[in-house]
Amino acid sequence: AFSSPGPVTGLLGLLAFKPDLVAPGEWIVAARSRDAAFPPDQIVGAEHVALEGTSQAAAMVTGAVALLLELNPRLDSLGARGLLLGTTRIDGLQDRRAWNPKWGWGRIDLLAAVEAPSAPAGVAVAETSGFGISQDVVRAGDSVVVAIALRDASGGPADSSSVVIEA
């Protein structure tokens, strides 16, 4: 694993469920620059090199999003994220369909995302503040604990008399 395990402290000190998902990041065979020096155990043939790390996994996720956008140009970033998170694959490394601190929601499964008619049904859980929004997908049947901290613009406790929450 190359990333830190979650959860992490998000905005206003609230926990955020990170990582979101995992993608291939070890022994990724890529084109080799003839000007770059690599250790012999990373060289694969005359024109390729095996690399690893978050930079390799990030490229896999970026490529997956690019393919989803090519197939559906109207898809926005939250829709692409929902497709990838809602179609992750669970394998022997993660034994249950729930978020965990090492694997997030599971391994990226581009074929399942491409074959999905739209973003899978789920509830978007939003952590909001005056500074931004972070969303995580919750699958049907998952249990969710939501902590809500109301704060005013200065960061102090907000008046909650006008807040209505419906579930």
Side-chain angles (χ1 to χ4, degrees):
F2 300 102
S3 297
S4 299
V8 299
T9 302
L11 296 173
L12 301 175
L14 300 175
L15 292 180
F17 293 96
K18 300 295 177 182
D20 291 330
L21 51 76
V22 293
E26 287 188 324
W27 292 102
I28 304 299
V29 177
R32 177 178 150 200
S33 167
R34 62 181 153 214
D35 299 324
F38 293 97
D41 64 332
Q42 288 184 311
I43 296 173
V44 180
E47 299 177 351
H48 297 91
V49 62
L51 302 170
E52 59 185 31
T54 53
S55 58
Q56 303 306 306
M60 294 289 180
V61 175
T62 302
V65 171
L67 289 171
L68 291 174
L69 291 173
E70 183 177 349
L71 291 171
N72 183 357
R74 295 187 322 249
L75 194 64
D76 63 10
S77 61
L78 287 177
R81 185 173 189 259
L83 277 169
L84 291 178
L85 289 176
T87 57
T88 55
R89 183 179 64 210
I90 305 302
D91 56 20
L93 299 174
Q94 184 178 350
D95 62 354
R96 57 190 168 93
R97 169 106 20 229
W99 179 87
N100 82 39
K102 187 171 182 179
W103 303 101
W105 291 105
R107 289 181 185 261
I108 192 170
D109 187 342
L110 182 57
L111 181 59
V114 166
E115 292 176 344
S118 63
V123 178
V125 177
E127 174 188 317
T128 64
S129 75
F131 304 105
I133 297 175
S134 171
Q135 294 187 335
D136 290 302
V137 172
V138 178
R139 290 178 169 77
D142 285 349
S143 296
V144 179
V145 175
V146 179
I148 300 173
L150 300 175
R151 306 216 181 264
D152 62 19
S154 68
D159 175 22
S160 61
S161 62
S162 62
V163 176
V164 176
I165 300 174
E166 295 182 19

